[in-house]
Amino acid sequence: MEGIESRNQEIPSDDEEICLPSDTLQILQEFLAEKAAAEDNLEENWQLSQFWYDEKTISTLTEACTNISTGENFKIGLLSCPSLYKKISNALRNVYLFEFDERFLNQDQNCIFYDYTKGRENPTLQEFKDFFDLIVADPPFLSEECISKTAEIIFSILKAEGKIILCSGAVVCPWAEKYLKLELKSWKPKHKRNLGNEFASFANFNLDNFIRKE
């Protein structure tokens, strides 16, 4: 019994601060720094048709979203554009990422799995009906099927007067107009890698007015 009592006395209470040795704390801090760096430098998965935006495009879209936002209750949904999430969510509240790649789903509770092929039938989207004021989407594939399914999702989670920004290949222009009622804009997103396809932006509002002129 004495041995048990002695060990119990050594257990700190919930109110006591647990201090780590300096060398252990340093190792923990290095681990957390390496983990954060690894999350920031995830490689694109070409099988999922992933291509990260360059830093200027990320900053431009973050600034645009900030200027479009009307206050703390303004809600933004990002579809298949994980390279935007960290910067926009640091700048604004109520930002959600919907992503198929599970590597991005452990960032926080606002990172949610979805599969564009299921359209509006995604079970994880049911609680977001008519929820968002702004959707920024970058569908993974430059196909009519992908744009039409993405449109189903957008219109199921976007408010009636909500805004849409679509970043995709210029080739999807007729489908962006057909399924999403979007117009081609002059601003063009760019990627870290030099891609062969011409990329463009589309929106259902005057997006170019929210883009800083170079």
Side-chain angles (χ1 to χ4, degrees):
M1 291 296 296
E2 292 179 357
I4 294 175
E5 290 175 356
S6 175
R7 287 195 294 270
N8 287 341
Q9 291 170 359
E10 294 173 359
I11 298 175
S13 69
D14 292 340
D15 295 330
E16 292 182 47
E17 181 179 356
I18 300 176
C19 297
L20 296 174
S22 58
D23 55 344
T24 303
L25 182 60
Q26 181 179 356
I27 293 171
L28 177 60
Q29 290 172 337
E30 290 174 354
F31 169 77
L32 293 175
E34 290 174 1
K35 183 175 183 290
E39 290 175 351
D40 288 342
N41 295 285
L42 290 174
E43 291 293 328
E44 298 140 318
N45 184 337
W46 290 0
Q47 291 184 331
L48 298 179
S49 191
Q50 288 179 339
F51 304 99
W52 302 155
Y53 296 126
D54 65 13
E55 290 302 321
K56 186 174 183 181
T57 294
I58 293 172
S59 295
T60 297
L61 282 171
T62 300
E63 183 176 9
C65 289
T66 302
N67 292 334
I68 294 167
S69 173
T70 58
E72 291 187 354
N73 294 324
F74 193 86
K75 299 177 180 65
I76 299 175
L78 307 177
L79 299 184
S80 298
C81 37
S83 60
L84 292 178
Y85 179 71
K86 185 171 184 179
K87 191 152 191 173
I88 294 180
S89 64
N90 283 341
L92 296 165
R93 299 179 61 182
N94 297 316
V95 180
Y96 295 75
L97 172 67
F98 297 92
E99 176 57 46
F100 183 83
D101 187 345
E102 295 184 357
R103 294 180 299 170
F104 295 95
L105 301 182
N106 63 354
Q107 296 181 84
D108 60 52
Q109 62 183 4
N110 284 6
C111 298
I112 299 160
F113 176 83
Y114 93 118
D115 180 352
Y116 89 84
T117 65
K118 297 183 183 299
R120 64 171 62 89
E121 302 304 322
N122 277 269
T124 54
L125 301 184
Q126 302 309 308
E127 63 184 282
F128 296 98
K129 183 175 175 57
D130 305 324
F131 186 81
F132 291 102
D133 300 282
L134 170 65
I135 295 287
V136 183
D138 188 346
F141 302 107
L142 307 180
S143 68
E144 183 173 6
E145 178 266 349
C146 185
I147 300 301
S148 65
K149 289 290 189 181
T150 299
E152 286 185 20
I153 292 169
I154 289 175
F155 286 128
S156 70
I157 63 177
L158 186 70
K159 292 180 179 178
E161 301 301 322
K163 292 179 170 61
I164 303 170
I165 300 173
L166 175 71
C167 298
S168 190
V171 69
V172 311
C173 187
W175 307 321
E177 180 179 351
K178 177 180 179 180
Y179 295 105
L180 287 159
K181 311 303 180 187
L182 305 181
E183 296 180 354
L184 178 67
K185 303 301 175 180
S186 62
W187 177 72
K188 297 180 179 180
K190 296 183 180 179
H191 300 79
K192 288 183 177 181
R193 301 180 188 272
N194 294 321
L195 305 179
N197 297 313
E198 179 185 357
F199 279 79
S201 66
F202 308 85
N204 62 347
F205 65 102
N206 54 349
L207 172 63
D208 291 329
N209 289 354
F210 294 93
I211 300 294
R212 179 183 295 182
K213 304 300 187 289
E214 297 181 1

